[in-house]
Amino acid sequence: MYDQPRPSPAHHAMTFDQMLERVRYEGAYPTRERAAEAVHHVLAVLGRQLTGDERVDLAQCLPIQAALTLTAQIPDTQHLTGWGFVKDLAARTGATPATARWDTGAVLTVVARLAGPDLLARILRRLPDGYALLFGQAELRRPQPAA
């Protein structure tokens, strides 16, 4: 009759400050402010790409400040490939594609740990090709339908 609340995976719990420190370490950023900037930019672009239960479940795994950035975005009707994601981030932030790719990897590697393997697999199935590498995972080819 009504939606059951989904349990929050307590073993992945991390505060926003801890998340920033992880991202700062992963990205070798000189300051927490630079790490926070990367987190907000990358999660904003991800929030425009991710929909459905995966979006809701990922938001529940993230610290509240990160979850708000993710869910404040209206999903785009155009789904970007992994490279399209990086180019979109670069265009929105004025960064080079190399810097945008670096920021994406630093943030999404931490997000992958928070999500856990099952949710990450669901997220990657929902997104177009090219995202696994952004999350620090091996990119496996999807089976092609027989013609």
Side-chain angles (χ1 to χ4, degrees):
M1 293 294 186
Y2 59 91
D3 288 336
Q4 294 290 325
R6 297 168 199 207
S8 182
H11 62 282
H12 294 299
M14 183 182 285
T15 68
F16 190 63
D17 286 338
Q18 290 169 327
M19 182 181 189
L20 291 182
E21 283 304 316
R22 267 320 312 156
V23 169
R24 183 177 177 193
Y25 176 80
E26 292 290 336
Y29 296 118
T31 64
R32 289 174 67 98
E33 291 75 23
R34 178 64 185 93
E37 182 179 291
V39 166
H40 289 295
H41 288 308
V42 171
L43 289 179
V45 176
L46 183 61
R48 287 189 283 279
Q49 293 299 307
L50 194 57
T51 61
D53 289 342
E54 290 76 17
R55 177 183 169 110
V56 173
D57 292 347
L58 179 58
Q60 289 183 332
C61 294
L62 298 174
I64 189 71
Q65 298 91 327
L68 289 173
T69 299
L70 178 81
T71 58
Q73 308 308 309
I74 297 171
D76 284 341
T77 56
Q78 176 189 6
H79 294 287
L80 302 171
T81 63
W83 177 237
F85 181 98
V86 171
K87 289 193 306 187
D88 184 54
L89 178 63
R92 289 176 186 276
T93 62
T96 65
T99 300
R101 173 60 181 95
W102 184 270
D103 290 348
T104 299
V107 173
L108 294 186
T109 299
V110 174
V111 169
R113 285 190 208 124
L114 289 168
D118 294 338
L119 177 55
L120 182 58
R122 288 178 33 222
I123 289 169
L124 292 175
R125 279 193 300 271
R126 179 167 289 274
L127 294 170
D129 289 338
Y131 280 85
L133 291 173
L134 300 179
F135 280 95
Q137 305 294 306
E139 181 77 45
L140 302 177
R141 291 182 50 106
R142 296 180 187 188
Q144 300 297 320

